[in-house]
Each structure stands twice: as C-alpha cells, then as structure tokens.
Amino acid sequence: MSNTHTTAIGTEPFDKTYGIGYQVHHTDWSPFSRVNKLRQDFLDRSYDIDVERLRLVTESYQAHQTESKKMQCAYAFENVLLNTKLYIYDQDLIVGEIAAPAKAAPIYPEFSVNWIIDEILNSPFEEREHDKFFIRNDEERQEILDLCKWWQGKTVDDRLQASLDEDQLKGSEVGEKIFQTNLYHYAGVGHLAIDYKNLMKVGYVGLIKEAKKHLAALSKRDPEWAAKRDFYQAMIIMHEAARTYIKRYAKLAMATAKETTNQQRQTELEEMAANCYQIADGTPKTFWQALQLFNIATALIQVESNGHSISYGRMDQWLYPYYEADMKKATLTKDFALELLEVEYVKMNNPTKLKDQGSMAVRNGRGFGGESLTIGGVDRDGNDATNDLTMLMLEGSAHTRMMNPWVCVRMHENTPYELKMKVVECIRAGYGHPKLYNDAPAIKAMMRKGMTLAEARDYCVVGCVELSLPGKEYGWHDAAYVNTPKMMEMVLNGGRSFNTGKQLGPDTGSLDTYTSFDEVLASVDQQFEYWTDQMCSSLNIIDALHRELKPLPYVSAFFGDCMDSGKDLTEGGAKYNGIGPQASGTATCADSLATIKQLVFEDKYCSGSELLQAIKDNWEGHDVLYAMVNSSKVHHYGNDDDYADELFKYMFECYCRHITGRKNLRGGDFRPGVYSVNANVAMGMNTHASADGRKKGEAISDNMGPVHTDAGSHDICGPTALVNSLAKVDHSLATNGTLMNLRFPQDAVAGIQGRNNLLSFIDAYIAKGPMHVQFNIMSSETMRAAQKKPEDYKDMLVRVAGYSAYFVELGKPLQKDLIQRTELSF
Amino acid sequence: MADKGIVFDVQRYTIHDGPGLRTELFLKGCPLRCQWCSNPESWAPAIEWGAYQSKCISLSKCGLCTPACPVKGILNFKRDKLTAIDNSKQVDYTDCEKACPADAIKQWGKTMSVSECMTIICKDKSYYEQSGGGVTVSGGEALLQSEFVLSLFKACQKEGIQTCCETTFYADWKKVEALIPYTDIWISDIKHMDPMIHRQYTSGDNKIILENLKRLTDLKQELILRIPVIPNVNDDRTNIEATADFILNELHGRVRTLQLLSFMRLGVEKYQSLNIPYGMEGIELDREAFQEHVAEIAAYFNRRGIHCLVGTKEQEDTKE
Ligand code: SF4
C-alpha cells in the first residue's frame, strides 16, 4: 500500500500523541474548559427513570382511542413536544433532549410494559447488579405502575407472545434461548441513519411543504388512499410539533439570557436562540446551526421510538459544506468548530435507555447504544473523501473519550497517511475508539444487497458494525442474536437439549449414530435450517407488529422514498429493506467440528459416544479427553491452520447461506451478520458444555474471534496468524457485518516504532480483506484487574523480554514486575 | 551448506528484535551461560524436553506418559504431577510428549529445514512489506548454526525479505564474515567490559566478542547494540564509562541505537521445567529505583553522544 497524502488538517499536528493506554483520573483531555466541564457534569449525573414521556403519551392515546395508529402516534408525539420540560445546561451551546433530562431514561409503553411492572415489583431497577436506574420517588413509582397497567394487552410485546407458535417460542428468549429476538420484541428498532444532507438543505419547513404537496396530490382512486393520507397528515403534525419544540427552546434561551449577568454567556444564549429560530423557520446557514438542527432532528427520532443505534451517517461529509462556507467567510475558526463538535459529542451521550434484563444481558450499557459516526472512506466516485472535519472529528474523540459517539473510520487503499497516523494515535490512547471499517469488502457487501456502486460507496456504519445507506435503508440490523453452539448441541445430541433432555429440534442424528464426518456436516445444515426457519418467521411476526402498532411517520420523512411513496418505514417505504440477525459463537462451533473430525473420525482417539458422554458430564471425570481437546494437539481456529480455518469457514458460510435471501414483509430480505458484541457471555451462561472443550456456563466465542476456554486460549500463534485465519472467509457474505476485536499491550504500540508497527499492521489488515477491526490497548490497571479475575483476561498478550506471553499464564511475581515496569513507561 | 537447523521456537509478530513486524527464529544451543538468561531451554544444542507441572493432569488420572517412555522410572512425579525431565541421559522423550494430552511435556527444539522455515516466514510477508520488518534469527547463539543461518538468509534475500541476526558474537569471525553479504542488520550486546567479571557471569571470554564488534563496525555494518543492565553486575559507573569509551573509540560510535534492557526476573518457570537451578534467585529489586537508575545510565550515554534508549525502541515518542 503506497502512502497518499492529504491537505486536510485539524487544529493539531496529524501525528500528535495522545498518550498510550488508559489513564485514570484524567479530567482535562479537552483544550476547552467548557467541554471538560460539560463532560464532568455528565459523569456526575445519576441514571434516572423519567415518567414524563409515559405520562404525555398515555394521556394522548387515551384521548384518541379511535384514530388510526399513525394519527395516534402523531398526536402522542405532538403532546410530548408541546408539553415536555425543557433543559438548557450551564455552558452548553446546543439544545434539545429526548423529552427527558440528560441521562434520564424515558419510558416507551408502545412497545412493552410487562417487564417494567414486573421489575418494579419484583427486582427493582435500583437493585440491579449493573445498569442500575433510579425512580425519583414513590409517587412516580406508583404513577409508572398505574400508567403501564393501562397499556397491558396493547403493546408489541403482548401481541407477540400471542402470535408465536410453540416451535418458535421454545427456541426464543422465552424458551431455550437458541435465538434471542429481545431487542425488537421489547423496544423500537432504530438502526438507521437519516438523509442529513437533504434535511440540512430543506429544513423542517421544506419537508412539511413536500408532505403537503404529496397529500394534495393523493388520488381517491388509490386503494391505499386513507393509509397514505394518514401518513402525510401524521408527518405534518409531527414536523410542525418539532418546529414548535425548537421555538420553545428559542424562547427559553432568550429568557435564560435575560437572567444571566455574565456578558459572554448572555451573548451565547442569544445566539443559541437565534440559531433555533433560524432552523425552525428555514434552513441552517452556519456550521453551528447545522449542528443544532442535527441535534434536534436526531433527538426527536428517539422521542418517537426507543430503537437504538440512531447513527449520524457520514458526518464529515454532510456537515462539511457548512464548515467550508463559514471558514471562507472567516466567521468560524477551526478552534471554535472543534469546540462545537466536542460540545455535541458530550451531548450525544445524554440519551439513555431503560432496557429489560434480557436485553441488558445481550447488550450491556445504559446509553441507547450504537450511535455510530462514520468518517473517511471514498466518495461516490471512488476518490478519497478526507477533509478537515475528518481530522477534527478524531481530535474531538481523543479530547472527550466518552462512550459516544462511536467513531468509525472507513479505510481504503488510498486513505491518506496523515489520517492513518491520526487514527493510530487515537487507538494508541487506548480509549476504545475509533473502530475501523474496510471499504473494499464493505462496498462489496452493499452491492450484494442490490445497491449501485455509487450508492454502495456512500455506506455508513450504524450500530456496532452494520452497514447502511443513509436515508435509503431500513435494515433492522440488530434483529436477533443466534446462539449457534446451541444449534450445535442439537447436532451432537439428536435434537435434544443438554440442559433439560427434552426434544427441541428434529432428530438429525447424534454423536452416538454418525458414521462419517459428512453426516455430521449434513446434520449441522439441517439443524441450522430448522432453527433459522423458526427465528426468521418469528422476526417477520415482530416486523408485522411494529408495522401495525408503531408506525414511524416522523423519521420516515427523512427517507426520500417514504416521502415519495406515502409509505411508512415500517410499511417498507425505504428503498432498501432488511432484517439482520447475527450469529454468535462461530468459532465455538468450528473448534467443536475440528475436535469431532480429528479425534473421532480421523485419529479415532475416542468414539463419538465417549465424546458425547464427556460433554454430557460437563467433562467431569474425563480429564484426559478434556485436556486433549483443549491442547495444541487438536486443530483450532485462529492459528493460520487450514484444517480448523476451513471448518470456521464452513460454519460462517453455513449461517450466511441459511439467512441470505429469505424474504421479509417490507419487500426486502434477510441479511446475516457474524458478531455477538458482548452477548456471547450471557449466552454461554445458559449453554451446556460443548465439544470444543468449553465447560457449562463459560462464554461462547466472541464475534469473529477464536475460542478461549477455562483450560486455555485456542489461538496461540499471535495476531498475524489470527488475522490470516480471519481473512480466509469472504466477509462480504455477512452483509449485516462482522466484528473483530484485537488487543495489544501498550508496550507493543509505544514509541515511534510501536506507532509505525501498529500503522503497518492496520495497512496489512485492510489489504487482507476482513471487514472490521477494533483495538484494545491494555493498561497496568487492566493487568491488575486481570490478576483479580484471570478468567476474563486469558488472551492478553504481554511483551515480556525476548518473547511475548499471555499475562495470566505468568507467575505472580513476574506479573507484579510487569505492572511496575509498565507504569514507569509513562 | 546446512539445510537443516534445530529451532526451539518460531514467533510470528515480534516487534522488538529489529525494525517493523518480524518473524523470529530462535536457534538452539549457546556457548555462553549468562546467569540472567531468560531462555535456559536454548543452552544445550540438542533437543530437550521440559515438564510443566501446572498443566499435568496427574499420574493417577492420566499417566499416559509413563508407558510411552523408553526408560522406565525416569520421569519424576511429585505429589502425583510430573515435575521435571532428566535431559542428561540422552533419552528421547518424543513419545512421552506425543502421549501427553495436556501440553504438560514440551519439546524444546525441532529439526527444521530451510524450506519449512520459509513457508512460515512467507505467510507474513505482507506485514514485513508494510512495516519495514522481516526475519530475525536469534538464539541461543545463532552463529552456532551459522551454516543453516546462511542458507536461510540466502533464501530470504531471494524473496526480498530483510534479515537480522541477533548474536552474542562469541564466535569465530569467519562465520560472521560469511553472513555479512546476506545480513541487513546485526543485533548484539556488551555484557561487561572487564574480562574477569565477564567470564564469571557468562563463563565466556569477552575478547572475541569485542574484537568481532570492532571488525563489524569497521565494515560499517548496521548494528543495534544492547546492554542487559544487571543490578550490581554491570551497572556501576566504571563499567558504564568503559563501555561508552569502547563504543566511541573502538567502534567509532557506529551504533544505530544503544538499547538498555533492564534486568527482569524471567524464565524461572523454564529453569524449573528443565531442572536447572536459577542463578539470579538472590536478587531483590526495588523496581522503581532500578528503572530510574537505568534511565540515568541512558542519559549518560546520550550525553556522551551515543543514541541510547531504555527498552527495545529505536526512537522515543514525541512528548505532548
Ligand atoms: S501424560 Fe501429561 S498429563 Fe498425563 S501424567 Fe504424563 S505429564 Fe501428566
């Protein structure tokens, strides 16, 4: 890969070092004291549950019981925006929240209420082990209970429970959790990026005008006339409400300005009010106004629904014209542009979501989650798209170091050296951002979804790793998590569950009966077919219920094809429609197959029945076999060993094959993803032992990563071997994304040499073709934590002296020595 | 030319012995016996076996190694676990290693051909190209198998892969000379300037080493030089000054980087597995004070005009 260069430049040298690894007790990363204060204020706030949205929505639904669903949604949204309390935070420069104070979680009863009632009564949010939430007082607790009770029987959840048949239920989250469709069972869908470019161009007024034009043009001969009429009318009500909401903020800003004695703050507040008036009645004229409109439009998507991963699209691209124009006019400095970005970054953390316990287990964290901000990459003609904002957005990320936004840098063969260097410096700082996406396989995956090359090149990332086309795609990206090792359990055990012994799936043979490895593979295929049938049909039911019960006219307006066709997003109004369920534990299955193939059918080291018994016994009393399965004598994925890597490829392709091409109700199809985020841990907890040497309850393998069991890590050949293994699959088959985490010790990336090595590693990684990668740079803090809980840190490489070793496998004194040494290095 | 060598480890993605991302081959056999050595498995030139007690299942529950062993009763078990393997009697434990299901017996050293090595090396070619890395041959003492190294480096040169040889230089100059045309970078170390003390701690003569270093720098070869800084052995003022004088006067300062490697208590488990007593057992160290001391030594070299860093870097991060 030859290095190309860019003239794009932020406020700092492109190769400025931001430190190496996580550093504790640091509160002044940003050069702007305002940003540091806002950040600290955010961190100091508690996670509350806010009753206001629930109250206002319920009030409106009760008043409009006979209206169509779209109109009910519109009136409820309007009632919220006209009456919700407004908040302007000290020193903030941008206004607008999700109808709740910063960091407080609203309630969305349209989707589900049973778990809220249940958790309040039986396992209070305040007493959770993690992801705690606080209800402010007993009156509010009672109010939440009363309001939620009104919703019982009317929600997506209630209707779903009644619609699933027994085969679907037994596999789902309410049964054996072979697949978990929790996320959209209990909450909204989200997972989209709107067409910000068009929004900035036409503003709310423009969208309303367009809706009115379409409404006027509707023909009564159209059999869908009423549905479309309601759609446009709802949209108009909602977008007018948005304008009113913005003007309410303008008034509040003016009132606050009058009360302040601080001259500078007064000016700021007046300008904020002016910004609001401008975007309420027209289009943004400045960089600041563009950010203000962005913030409100995005927040309101999260007032309409609590679907997560509302992503920001290619923000360095759609925002650039405003930056460029202000800079040309000299009405904006680079420093102030960065300060505004950082203020907005902190603000992106405010939306908070209350999740049910089941969803919490597959998706930890109290933020909405998945707010990806995509930068870099190629433009629609294939040229590098880097600009000043690309650099500034990375600087802002290093200066704020918060959960949000999830900055994602698109990499390609001509990514300029300066941008790569900035990326590497951010990664070295060890705060977990940015993640990297590889344009070549990603663009290929977009085209597999039927997009043109120019469209494909315009992809952005939504959520963790999913690919989406802003303003054109409703991908239902995070639709379900599939526990593939559970399916493998059916393969080993004649379709029966190890946990209960019950017959769950079809009997396609067992380790007692197979006479060849080909029979095993055939059985895998049949089980996958059966269970993906159950899952995908369940997802179609959920999709239909969202369409029926929770149309989304507000956000639909930001999708040109919805606007033109009069069809809501939930009705398939977007140009591209998908449903993306993800496979977890692919390597667990691959190593299981390797064990069976090698030990049972090739070496005849043990019989299938012996292996089955050992697994049934959770390996207890089978020490020799247990050690063998976990030893380097058995082929394992992740070591650049074709034997095992072929089986990983088989599992990867098997899953993709069974998902790809199934039709969904919105005129699109299903798209496979191969990643687990952190769901592999919770899934492992209710999964019996597996043939790869995993014991009951241990995590299944994560994302595209290799197997780590209590007995040891199965990848033992270092990162280049792992990447070579990873690169043997065609990542573009997983049109809903793949995910790879890599961890490096600080030592490996320290010094100019370390920095260059990381840069080279990334270059080589991108050239080899995997779709995604993110890095962890370990600190001594982490190593101390690793000493306390070694089982969670099995694969942490430390450079010792002449060799690298796994930290937890070293003696205690050496561990201590290493910790001390590392601390001394900064 | 030797086509086969005895290699005790191949590590991919090493980043410390030479520039960029590298594949490193550790060759077996070393004429020196440095007391601080962290690779005692590299000493003997022949293949050896080590026992990893913590991985052993137990004699009573497993015991598969004993029937496989060619000499009865030679395996040592303590509290039901394999504790040590006696490598002194020329016993071939290959079958024990094969029989062990738990990776508790490790074979140190494997005969590998140049082409076998090249297959592994070439897998990471794209990483070398991106990073300016390549292959490093280390040890043990690489030059004990210099014919093998020569064949290997020739093969690397054919593939356009950069080569680096890490050696003690405790070897005949002829061996070095033969390798020069095929070696891009040399890494070596000065353990002590005083011949007596050198002999005491390494059991070897430093004259040959210093002489070879001189000849190499006379030929202006790329050299990264190291000092393993061992408390109370070579970290005193006299020795440090003598080392600096030697580098400036005899080597004409022709050292890319002088790297100070702080003493670490490493490889103790490996000593145990091979049943070799560990020579540095007695050292108690205040790590913080020691690192400061090492930093002072580095500062001294830099003051003398020698580019010197702590650790295996060649260039420090720019400070914020
Ligand atoms: S074969 Fe291995 S695990 Fe079994 S007793 Fe011998 S050393 Fe221990």
Side-chain angles (χ1 to χ4, degrees):
Chain A
M1 203 177 288
S2 63
N3 279 321
T4 54
H5 294 275
T6 176
T7 51
I9 180 160
T11 64
E12 293 164 344
F14 70 90
D15 58 354
K16 183 185 155 100
T17 296
Y18 296 113
I20 295 152
Y22 175 72
Q23 293 164 54
V24 279
H25 303 312
H26 218 302
T27 54
D28 55 351
W29 292 116
S30 175
F32 309 110
S33 59
R34 179 200 310 275
V35 173
N36 291 322
K37 180 194 156 31
L38 289 167
R39 180 179 184 273
Q40 197 55 46
D41 286 351
F42 172 85
L43 295 172
D44 292 343
R45 250 171 235 134
S46 74
Y47 283 100
D48 292 341
I49 293 175
D50 194 79
V51 69
E52 202 176 39
R53 184 185 183 282
L54 172 64
R55 187 189 292 148
L56 293 168
V57 165
T58 312
E59 190 179 282
S60 169
Y61 269 79
Q62 286 171 342
H64 295 281
Q65 296 200 34
T66 55
E67 309 266 353
S68 74
K69 246 335 145 217
K70 284 174 191 150
M71 297 309 286
Q72 286 181 340
C73 289
Y75 291 130
F77 185 80
E78 182 186 41
N79 200 34
V80 173
L81 295 197
L82 266 42
N83 296 296
T84 185
K85 276 191 226 72
L86 305 182
Y87 306 87
I88 296 180
Y89 294 103
D90 187 24
Q91 294 210 32
D92 210 346
L93 295 174
I94 290 165
V95 295
E97 307 294 334
I98 58 164
K103 237 171 136 175
I107 290 171
Y108 300 75
E110 303 95 312
F111 300 106
S112 58
V113 291
N114 293 330
W115 61 273
I116 300 177
I117 297 171
D118 177 60
E119 290 195 43
I120 288 179
L121 295 177
N122 300 315
S123 48
F125 300 110
E126 293 82 353
E127 291 169 19
R128 283 178 172 183
E129 258 177 53
H130 56 93
D131 290 30
K132 281 190 191 13
F133 277 96
F134 300 91
I135 296 177
R136 295 200 185 90
N137 53 53
D138 286 343
E139 288 86 78
E140 291 198 3
R141 191 183 321 274
Q142 192 54 51
E143 187 182 0
I144 293 171
L145 280 174
D146 294 343
L147 292 170
C148 283
K149 277 189 190 135
W150 183 82
W151 282 91
Q152 281 186 311
K154 302 181 179 72
T155 68
V156 172
D157 168 38
D158 292 303
R159 292 282 303 281
L160 179 62
Q161 299 272 9
S163 309
L164 295 175
D165 77 7
E166 231 166 75
D167 288 338
Q168 294 165 326
L169 280 171
K170 75 189 176 195
S172 78
E173 55 274 16
V174 292
E176 278 260 346
K177 298 197 171 91
I178 294 164
F179 53 86
Q180 287 178 265
T181 55
N182 293 53
L183 295 174
Y184 309 158
H185 175 166
Y186 299 109
V189 175
H191 284 88
L192 49 82
I194 63 169
D195 186 350
Y196 285 107
K197 197 170 150 194
N198 184 54
L199 170 64
M200 296 294 144
K201 208 171 81 193
V202 303
Y204 279 112
V205 282
L207 292 172
I208 292 169
K209 206 168 127 198
E210 220 187 321
K212 284 185 174 160
K213 189 187 81 192
H214 283 296
L215 180 60
L218 280 182
S219 158
K220 282 206 168 132
R221 292 192 181 173
D222 183 345
E224 291 174 327
W225 174 79
K228 290 180 180 172
R229 174 201 61 188
D230 288 357
F231 175 66
Y232 288 122
Q233 279 182 348
M235 189 188 282
I236 293 162
I237 291 171
M238 294 166 103
H239 283 247
E240 286 294 357
R243 292 181 61 212
T244 312
Y245 177 71
I246 299 168
K247 288 184 184 174
R248 289 180 62 208
Y249 260 116
K251 282 189 200 116
L252 178 63
M254 285 310 287
T256 318
K258 284 213 183 75
E259 280 164 24
T260 51
T261 48
N262 178 324
Q263 186 68 51
Q264 193 207 329
R265 183 62 184 154
Q266 201 163 44
T267 321
E268 280 170 10
L269 284 161
E270 283 163 9
E271 186 143 8
M272 286 156 72
N275 287 344
C276 285
Y277 281 123
Q278 177 61 38
I279 61 162
D281 290 333
T283 56
K285 299 292 173 218
T286 67
F287 182 73
W288 192 351
Q289 288 168 5
L291 275 175
Q292 177 61 72
L293 177 57
F294 159 77
N295 184 70
I296 295 263
T298 310
L300 296 190
I301 297 172
Q302 294 165 97
V303 171
E304 183 178 38
S305 157
N306 65 349
H308 64 287
S309 298
I310 302 305
S311 297
Y312 311 139
R314 303 182 69 183
M315 196 163 179
D316 62 338
Q317 304 303 309
W318 63 255
L319 191 54
Y320 188 70
Y322 298 88
Y323 168 83
E324 194 186 23
D326 284 7
M327 290 296 282
K328 241 185 220 148
K329 284 184 279 179
T331 52
L332 179 72
T333 63
K334 244 178 223 190
D335 278 323
F336 190 56
L338 180 60
E339 185 171 1
L340 281 169
L341 279 177
E342 291 182 21
V343 165
E344 181 55 33
Y345 273 17
V346 176
K347 221 170 169 56
M348 286 168 179
N349 289 275
N350 286 353
T352 296
K353 177 167 170 175
L354 182 66
K355 291 174 215 157
D356 63 284
Q357 281 175 336
S359 299
M360 198 178 73
V362 290
R363 207 49 139 63
N364 284 180
R366 289 175 286 199
F368 264 60
E371 293 85 347
S372 278
L373 190 167
T374 307
I375 58 175
V378 296
D379 63 18
R380 290 171 71 92
D381 300 321
N383 302 313
D384 177 62
T386 310
N387 60 40
D388 283 1
L389 287 180
T390 319
M391 304 301 264
L392 287 169
M393 284 174 174
L394 282 168
E395 287 177 7
S397 171
H399 293 164
T400 51
R401 305 192 181 191
M402 298 176 78
M403 207 162 54
N404 284 345
W406 298 13
V407 176
C408 170
V409 185
R410 283 177 42 176
M411 307 288 285
H412 58 98
E413 57 180 358
N414 291 319
T415 298
Y417 175 73
E418 292 81 358
L419 176 57
K420 287 192 282 193
M421 187 60 86
K422 172 93 24 212
V423 162
V424 164
E425 286 294 5
C426 290
I427 290 171
R428 286 211 299 168
Y431 61 95
H433 300 301
K435 56 188 170 185
L436 306 184
Y437 234 88
N438 192 357
D439 270 3
I443 288 169
K444 202 168 151 199
M446 292 299 270
M447 292 179 74
R448 280 190 197 278
K449 297 196 280 190
M451 292 165 194
T452 66
L453 178 60
E455 282 179 328
R457 283 172 173 158
D458 220 9
Y459 80 91
C460 73
V461 176
V462 308
C464 301
V465 292
E466 302 94 298
L467 308 167
S468 193
L469 190 57
K472 291 213 165 79
E473 181 173 1
Y474 190 41
W476 258 68
H477 292 290
D478 221 7
Y481 286 89
V482 184
N483 187 344
T484 58
K486 272 262 193 210
M487 298 189 191
M488 190 55 85
E489 189 172 320
M490 308 296 124
V491 173
L492 304 188
N493 197 29
R496 284 182 302 272
S497 156
F498 280 133
N499 286 341
T500 63
K502 270 199 304 215
Q503 191 72 39
L504 285 176
D507 180 357
T508 55
S510 83
L511 278 180
D512 280 328
T513 64
Y514 299 125
T515 57
S516 72
F517 186 63
D518 285 341
E519 282 179 31
V520 180
L521 292 184
S523 171
V524 169
D525 200 61
Q526 288 163 36
Q527 290 294 342
F528 270 55
E529 181 172 353
Y530 177 79
W531 289 109
T532 50
D533 275 353
Q534 306 311 316
M535 171 175 72
C536 294
S537 55
S538 304
L539 288 169
N540 279 331
I541 294 177
I542 304 178
D543 195 1
L545 287 169
H546 279 271
R547 168 192 295 208
E548 183 190 332
L549 297 175
K550 191 65 180 100
L552 303 165
Y554 171 75
V555 74
S556 295
F558 304 120
F559 286 73
D561 297 277
C562 293
M563 179 67 93
D564 291 343
S565 65
K567 272 192 186 163
D568 191 87
L569 264 192
T570 59
E571 294 168 327
K575 184 166 179 191
Y576 299 104
N577 289 285
I579 292 186
Q582 338 316 336
S584 302
T586 309
T588 300
C589 292
D591 281 6
S592 294
L593 287 181
T595 301
I596 296 166
K597 183 176 180 192
Q598 187 189 335
L599 296 187
V600 177
F601 292 105
E602 287 177 4
D603 297 355
K604 310 235 177 337
Y605 185 87
C606 62
S607 70
S609 306
E610 278 164 351
L611 180 60
L612 180 60
Q613 195 55 49
I615 298 166
K616 278 186 180 160
D617 294 344
N618 194 24
W619 300 105
E620 266 146 46
H622 303 267
D623 305 72
V624 172
L625 191 52
Y626 176 69
M628 182 68 182
V629 168
N630 278 300
S631 78
S632 59
K633 291 196 169 70
V634 170
H635 295 284
H636 291 139
Y637 164 70
N639 297 302
D640 200 359
D641 163 1
D642 285 344
Y643 188 103
D645 294 346
E646 278 302 318
L647 293 168
F648 182 85
K649 194 170 162 208
Y650 178 86
M651 291 310 308
F652 179 94
E653 288 176 358
C654 174
Y655 180 74
C656 291
R657 182 171 69 241
H658 281 293
I659 298 298
T660 307
R662 288 171 186 268
K663 297 282 166 248
N664 68 35
L665 283 171
R666 282 173 283 111
D669 46 28
F670 282 76
R671 286 114 186 224
V674 181
Y675 62 87
S676 53
V677 196
N678 61 19
N680 61 309
V681 178
M683 286 181 165
M685 269 153 48
N686 71 47
T687 306
H688 190 77
S690 41
D692 61 330
R694 213 187 110 267
K695 286 192 171 169
K696 184 182 170 86
E698 287 177 36
I700 58 174
S701 65
D702 82 298
N703 302 297
M704 294 285 284
V707 167
H708 310 149
T709 72
D710 275 359
S713 293
H714 283 192
D715 66 313
I716 50 172
C717 295
T720 53
L722 178 55
V723 171
N724 285 355
S725 290
L726 180 67
K728 288 177 194 169
V729 299
D730 179 354
H731 287 245
S732 74
L733 290 173
T735 43
N736 204 42
T738 66
L739 194 157
M740 188 65 197
N741 286 314
L742 290 174
R743 274 207 275 252
F744 286 85
Q746 285 124 313
D747 197 26
V749 296
I752 296 303
Q753 202 173 340
R755 177 170 85 177
N756 292 338
N757 286 342
L758 181 56
L759 197 146
S760 309
F761 182 81
I762 291 171
D763 271 346
Y765 187 93
I766 297 301
K768 278 177 189 286
M771 197 128 76
H772 159 276
V773 64
Q774 61 197 28
F775 296 90
N776 281 312
I777 308 299
M778 283 302 149
S779 66
S780 51
E781 273 309 298
T782 319
M783 289 198 247
R784 283 202 199 90
Q787 284 187 312
K788 288 202 190 104
K789 224 167 168 253
E791 64 273 20
D792 289 348
Y793 293 86
K794 280 187 197 136
D795 56 348
M796 186 167 76
L797 275 174
V798 280
R799 180 68 188 184
V800 184
Y803 63 101
S804 292
Y806 286 109
F807 181 77
V808 298
E809 290 182 15
L810 299 170
K812 279 275 137 59
L814 175 56
Q815 289 184 349
K816 197 172 150 221
D817 213 350
L818 284 165
I819 289 170
Q820 285 169 332
R821 178 174 62 156
T822 311
E823 277 199 329
L824 284 167
S825 70
F826 33 76
Chain B
M1 256 189 342
D3 176 58
K4 285 194 161 80
I6 299 185
V7 180
F8 78 86
D9 202 1
V10 181
Q11 293 192 355
R12 293 165 66 177
Y13 196 75
T14 66
I15 48 176
H16 290 251
D17 295 325
L21 305 177
R22 317 190 66 82
T23 295
E24 193 159 354
L25 277 78
F26 295 84
L27 304 193
K28 200 144 160 45
C30 185
L32 298 180
R33 289 292 177 271
C34 306
Q35 293 192 12
W36 51 81
C37 179
S38 56
N39 294 328
E41 76 276 25
S42 71
W43 290 353
I47 292 169
E48 291 175 289
W49 287 266
Y52 283 81
Q53 199 180 340
S54 65
K55 292 198 167 168
C56 174
I57 299 167
S58 73
L59 181 59
S60 52
K61 283 190 184 157
C62 168
L64 290 169
C65 50
T66 42
C69 190
V71 181
K72 298 301 150 206
I74 199 171
L75 294 172
N76 287 311
F77 283 85
K78 219 184 264 166
R79 272 185 242 108
D80 216 17
K81 306 254 183 187
L82 186 70
T83 48
I85 288 183
D86 186 351
N87 283 297
S88 67
K89 306 224 166 69
Q90 243 88 129
V91 175
D92 183 343
Y93 295 96
T94 308
D95 290 340
C96 305
E97 189 270 336
K98 281 205 181 120
C100 175
D103 293 335
I105 299 172
K106 178 145 171 95
Q107 178 176 324
W108 291 113
K110 183 173 146 192
T111 307
M112 290 180 79
S113 69
V114 169
S115 71
E116 275 177 272
C117 295
M118 289 309 291
T119 308
I120 300 176
I121 289 167
C122 287
K123 284 185 173 185
D124 288 340
K125 229 176 144 186
S126 62
Y127 292 95
Y128 316 144
E129 281 159 14
Q130 298 291 344
S131 68
V135 166
T136 298
V137 167
S138 178
E141 172 46 62
L143 296 180
L144 269 191
Q145 302 186 45
S146 67
E147 301 255 299
F148 171 64
V149 177
L150 188 64
S151 315
L152 184 74
F153 278 13
K154 279 185 179 166
C156 288
Q157 207 172 58
K158 227 182 244 158
E159 289 283 339
I161 296 170
Q162 182 211 64
T163 58
C164 172
C165 180
E166 200 207 354
T167 165
T168 64
F169 275 132
Y170 191 70
D172 185 355
W173 169 253
K174 281 212 188 78
K175 292 181 173 180
V176 180
E177 205 174 23
L179 271 174
I180 284 179
Y182 304 99
T183 307
D184 296 308
I185 301 161
W186 297 84
I187 301 179
S188 188
D189 57 355
I190 296 181
K191 305 176 210 295
H192 211 292
M193 290 304 293
D194 183 299
M196 291 309 291
I197 305 178
H198 193 277
R199 182 173 291 282
Q200 184 192 337
Y201 281 97
T202 71
S203 77
D205 193 346
N206 69 357
K207 204 174 136 219
I208 307 173
I209 296 174
L210 300 177
E211 188 57 36
N212 282 337
L213 280 172
K214 250 192 286 185
R215 287 185 166 182
L216 192 84
T217 46
D218 281 344
L219 294 172
K220 300 192 179 148
Q221 297 300 302
E222 288 286 317
L223 173 66
I224 297 170
L225 197 60
R226 293 170 167 174
I227 303 175
V229 186
I230 315 299
N232 305 323
V233 174
N234 64 358
D235 63 340
D236 54 290
R237 205 180 167 83
T238 325
N239 183 51
I240 295 301
E241 277 177 15
T243 311
D245 291 343
F246 176 79
I247 293 171
L248 292 171
N249 303 333
E250 306 292 332
L251 305 185
H252 315 291
R254 285 176 191 148
V255 169
R256 243 163 81 151
T257 311
L258 177 65
Q259 300 176 332
L260 304 186
L261 307 185
S262 317
F263 168 75
M264 302 290 293
R265 190 184 303 278
L266 293 175
V268 186
E269 296 88 349
K270 289 193 269 189
Y271 279 91
Q272 277 166 5
S273 80
L274 289 159
N275 215 10
I276 303 174
Y278 182 52
M280 306 304 278
E281 202 56 75
I283 293 193
E284 278 300 329
L285 200 57
D286 176 346
R287 173 60 59 186
E288 211 161 314
F290 181 61
Q291 289 303 133
E292 244 165 65
H293 177 50
V294 175
E296 277 161 21
I297 296 174
Y300 169 79
F301 279 114
N302 281 306
R303 276 200 303 278
R304 296 278 312 262
I306 301 167
H307 174 52
C308 176
L309 290 171
V310 181
T312 57
K313 291 173 276 209
E314 289 204 71
Q315 219 183 330
E316 203 74 78
D317 271 319
T318 39
K319 288 274 172 289
E320 274 179 62

